[in-house]
Structures are given as C-alpha cells and as structure tokens.
Amino acid sequence: MAIYLDNNATTLLDERVLAAMLPYLQQQYGNPSEIYTLGREARQAIDIAREQVAQLMNVQPAQIIFTSGGTEANNWAVKHAFENSLIQNFYYSAIEHASIIETIKSLAKSNIASKVLPVTPTGLVDTAIFSDMAWAKNTLTSIMWANNETGVIQDIPYFADKIRQAGGYFHCDAVQAIGKINADFSTSLCHSMSISAHKIHGPKGVGALIIDKLIDPSPLIHGGKQERGYRSGTENVAGIVGFGQAAEITFNESIDSTQHCLLLQKRLENKLEKIPGIKIFSKHEKRLPNTSFFALEGIDGESMLMALDTEGIAVASGSACSSMSEKPSHVLLAMGVDEEYARGAIRISLSKHNTDAEIDKFIEILQKKMAVLRSISLTAEV
Ligand code: PLP
C-alpha cells in the first residue's frame, strides 16, 4: 500500500472538488465571456468560486484575482509593484520560494536593487533590520507566511505593519499557510498575497493574487480583459470552480484536519527523536501542524528518498521545485546548516488523509533503510 507523505508538494484532489469540476469540463463548457446562457452559467460559476475563496481569506470577492497558481501570483506581485509605483528596492527573505527569488533576480537586469533578509538558525526572519525602518520607503518586501520546507511560521502582521508604516509595500506568499493556519488577509495588513488551490486538495494550475482594496495592479498578462482586465485569457472555469469548492471545504473543515495533522505530527516526531542521528529542524519554533523537516546524519537525503520510494512511500528531500536541482536546500543553507548535513534532509508533510498506521509503517521502514544505506556507505569506505 502506497503511503503519501508529501502534501506540501501537492495534495489529493477532494472527491467533492472533482464532482464540482466535472460539469465544467463536459456539459457546461461555455466561455464565460459570452452572453448566451451557456456563457452566463460559466460566469456565474466563477462568481460563486470567487465568493468561496473570498470567504476563506476574509476579503471582498473583488480582491481576488484568479491566476494559474502560486508561481504566477508571486511573479505578478513582484512585477506589478515594480511597474505601477515608485518601487526602488526589493527586500525578500532568504527562504522565499523560487517564484519570488527568481522573479526579483530577473528585475535586477533593469537596475532595480534587491536585498536579502537573513534568517536565524531556526528559520525565523531576523528582526534586527526592522528596528530602524528608514530602508523600507518605496520598497517591496516579500516574506512568506509559512515555509514549505521547515514549516516555520513568520509573524506576518508584525512585518506588514512595520513596512506599511514606513511607506513600503508588503507581499506575502501564503501558499503553504492557507488551510493549515489562520491566514486571514484582512487582518494581516499585507498589500498582496499569493495562494494556490492544489495545496488544499484543489486542482493544479489555479491560484489567486489577493490585493488590498487600494492597490490597482497593472496586468501581468494582456489581452481580452478577463478578470476585470487584470489578468487576461479565457478563464480556467473548471479549475476555478474546483478552487472555490476546495476553499469552502477548507473553510468548514480546516480546524478538524489541522487537529488531525497535529496529532500525527506529534506521533511522528516522538518516534523520530528516538532514532539516533536524527535532528528535526526548527523543532521549537511555531511550525505548520503538518510539516516535519529532519536530517539523517551520514545519509544522503536523495538516496533515502529513492529507497523509501521502492517501498511505495513518497517523501521529499527538499521543496518540490528544488528537488530538480542537485544543490542542498537554500532554506537550510540560509539557516546556517552545514552543507553536508543539509544533504541528508527529508521532509514529511501530512494531510487529513494520513493515519497513525502510516506513520508507524514509515518509521519502521525508515529505520530499515537507514541501516541498509549506512552499511552500503561503510562497505564503500572499506
Ligand atoms: N510558494 C510556495 C511557498 C510553494 O510551496 C509553492 C509550491 O510548491 C509555490 C509558491 C508555487 O505554487 P504553484 O505550484 O501553485 O505555482
């Protein structure tokens, strides 16, 4: 039986979400820009989805702009601020997702300066720079709410408030936070926020940028003026409907699923801590209830990932995107973790579908594989 423990990479589509989407892939295929019945019905379905996402994020529906996912929303947040306001500098935490880091780096070519905000050894954004805020005027600062690898949660309302008061803009990547903690836009004081459907049992390829009522972004994609001209292109109706349904389920059920994950996380970490040579990163920080990131001393994380895969267990050795690169996690390196140690990192991310029995089975197989991999490396040394 396969055991899926990589829910920060993506999640299983909820059956209720699939049921809501199916009509819009088949009978209800109208283009929402058309004014005949089939088109109007598709438009109505998008309006309902916008209300469902707005409810989850505690905003007005007009503050939601649908995108193709978290990556696009992050690209847009960085680029729209650059185009429409007097942004002269970008500040971003060293542990941001690649969709923030690479977008800001791409702007460096247009002589826009950027600066990395360092993190502490436990993965919190270092607050030292926030004691004197002179730097923040005319800047865009981007800090993620919860890190996809360590699960560490940042104090977003604190940072956003500081930046606002200093005359800067604040963007938050909340892709990993929604559904796992109370990531409420209205009280967060952010100017913009990115979210994604496939992390909350919704479909892939759909997300949203949420914007402050006073922000008027310029479009990232130009064309037929869909999404009130902010994001052109015929809408992904089924995807948006699925996102809305997933948001409503999350709104109604996240307290239960969070509690379920928290109990599993405790069970997992209690067992992990009994295994010699395992260190759980940021163990004592406020973390997502579903995420445990740990290193296996003397074992390569990638080799362990492959060994577990042969037993049908899916885990990550870093973020979904960085698993395409050979470098150790930039998040761990930013926390000052030794490169060798960082290479042994394994991430477990849970969901409402995981069980006690799966955790126990995982621990049993992990220990077996550790013994095998250690004996292989001993043999290689001889
Ligand atoms: N931001 C974070 C923190 C993520 O973990 C991810 C996906 O792994 C993204 C952004 C990108 O979201 P999407 O897959 O919807 O493009």
Side-chain angles (χ1 to χ4, degrees):
M1 188 193 66
I3 302 179
Y4 184 73
L5 302 173
D6 196 17
N7 289 278
N8 285 4
T10 198
T11 55
L12 176 69
L13 193 75
D14 191 297
E15 276 177 19
R16 293 164 287 179
V17 172
L18 178 63
M21 291 173 71
L22 279 177
Y24 296 92
L25 292 164
Q26 296 175 315
Q27 313 90 313
Q28 298 282 346
Y29 56 84
N31 184 325
S33 295
E34 301 303 338
I35 55 172
Y36 43 75
T37 306
L38 205 59
R40 285 203 315 275
E41 283 171 356
R43 164 73 44 221
Q44 255 170 16
I46 292 178
D47 290 345
I48 291 170
R50 202 183 306 280
E51 281 167 19
Q52 290 167 315
V53 177
Q55 173 180 250
L56 177 66
M57 302 308 296
N58 191 20
V59 294
Q60 296 298 314
Q63 291 175 260
I64 307 275
I65 306 163
F66 289 117
T67 65
S68 69
T71 298
E72 184 185 314
N74 279 338
N75 269 256
W76 190 9
V78 169
K79 289 182 173 168
H80 95 70
F82 168 65
E83 280 174 8
N84 251 5
S85 45
L86 298 170
I87 299 294
Q88 287 160 358
N89 259 305
F90 287 95
Y91 281 74
Y92 60 99
S93 86
I95 55 169
E96 292 303 291
H97 188 260
S99 52
I100 289 288
I101 298 179
E102 295 303 322
T103 310
I104 293 179
K105 279 188 185 164
S106 77
L107 296 178
K109 291 180 197 118
S110 9
N111 293 329
I112 291 284
S114 67
K115 192 167 159 40
V116 178
L117 301 173
V119 295
T120 64
T122 55
L124 283 176
V125 171
D126 195 333
T127 50
I129 192 170
F130 289 83
S131 54
D132 171 8
M133 296 298 295
W135 56 270
K137 195 167 164 55
N138 297 335
T139 63
L140 177 74
T141 301
S142 187
I143 299 178
M144 65 194 344
W145 208 318
N147 185 263
N148 41 309
E149 296 184 28
T150 59
V152 168
I153 298 167
Q154 309 290 337
D155 187 351
I156 291 303
Y158 167 83
F159 292 123
D161 184 33
K162 286 264 187 191
I163 299 289
R164 260 182 194 264
Q165 297 214 20
Y169 290 89
F170 189 86
H171 172 71
C172 177
D173 175 348
V175 165
Q176 292 293 346
I178 58 163
K180 299 171 191 155
I181 58 170
N182 183 18
D184 176 315
F185 183 87
S186 291
T187 52
S188 73
L189 303 174
C190 296
H191 286 100
S192 58
M193 191 177 280
S194 304
I195 57 175
S196 177
H198 73 106
K199 311 288 184 180
I200 56 164
H201 304 281
K204 294 168 186 61
V206 57
L209 183 71
I210 304 166
I211 47 170
D212 182 293
K213 287 185 194 124
L214 300 176
I215 298 280
D216 184 23
S218 58
L220 180 71
I221 300 176
H222 300 265
K225 302 231 180 308
Q226 289 86 350
E227 292 296 282
R228 304 198 323 283
Y230 286 127
R231 200 273 187 186
S232 290
T234 301
E235 296 89 337
N236 170 8
V237 181
I240 290 172
V241 166
F243 189 11
Q245 187 65 34
E248 184 165 306
I249 293 169
T250 301
F251 181 78
N252 292 326
E253 299 177 7
S254 70
I255 293 178
D256 288 348
S257 64
T258 298
Q259 192 53 29
H260 175 77
C261 287
L262 200 57
L263 291 174
L264 288 181
Q265 186 190 45
K266 276 203 184 120
R267 185 180 188 96
L268 169 71
E269 295 193 355
N270 284 341
K271 287 174 185 275
L272 280 176
E273 281 181 325
K274 294 201 179 97
I275 304 175
I278 286 194
K279 180 188 166 201
I280 301 170
F281 297 112
S282 308
K283 171 83 173 52
H284 301 292
E285 290 303 344
K286 252 180 152 181
R287 281 179 300 141
L288 293 176
N290 79 323
T291 308
S292 301
F293 200 28
F294 56 93
L296 310 165
E297 200 177 5
I299 292 176
D300 175 54
E302 207 82 348
S303 308
M304 177 57 84
L305 183 154
M306 299 312 292
L308 291 169
D309 186 45
T310 62
E311 305 279 342
I313 300 179
V315 301
S317 62
S319 75
C321 306
S322 79
S323 62
M324 296 189 186
S325 89
E326 302 235 312
K327 284 192 198 149
S329 147
H330 74 285
V331 174
L332 291 180
L333 296 184
M335 288 160 59
V337 175
D338 175 73
E339 203 165 304
E340 201 53 40
Y341 210 60
R343 280 187 201 284
I346 291 285
R347 179 189 68 189
I348 300 299
S349 47
L350 307 163
S351 85
K352 59 186 178 185
H353 298 297
N354 292 121
T355 62
D356 283 354
E358 287 181 334
I359 297 296
D360 297 352
K361 187 80 191 161
F362 165 72
I363 292 287
E364 181 198 318
I365 295 183
L366 178 76
Q367 283 177 292
K368 273 192 201 151
K369 296 293 175 186
M370 281 176 79
V372 173
L373 291 173
R374 288 219 165 101
S375 73
I376 292 173
S377 71
L378 278 178
T379 319
E381 276 169 27
V382 172

